[in-house]
Amino acid sequence: MPLEAGLLEILACPACHAPLKEQEANEQETELICTGKDCGLAYPVRDGIPVLLVDEARRPA
């Protein structure tokens, strides 16, 4: 389920405050990826709700 465009425009990475972009992790899951140059954390979206907790984020590979 894609997020509303207006919501995505106001969300920012809690770690570095860079904008986030939406990306499909697999067929059923979506992630919000930090666009920060040194950050790159991937935050899960569960049941259409972004989980913007650094402890829940996946580190870049």
Side-chain angles (χ1 to χ4, degrees):
M1 170 191 294
L3 296 175
E4 293 181 27
L7 177 62
L8 194 55
E9 289 178 10
I10 62 171
L11 292 178
C13 175
C16 72
H17 309 290
L20 298 169
K21 67 178 180 179
E22 192 171 15
Q23 178 177 315
E24 286 190 25
N26 59 42
E27 293 177 9
Q28 298 177 348
E29 295 181 14
T30 303
E31 292 180 323
L32 295 178
I33 308 295
C34 176
T35 59
K37 187 168 97 175
D38 297 325
C39 187
L41 291 174
Y43 298 93
V45 177
R46 295 186 186 129
D47 297 324
I49 301 169
V51 181
L52 297 178
L53 300 171
V54 175
D55 291 341
E56 294 284 325
R58 180 177 56 78
R59 300 272 175 204

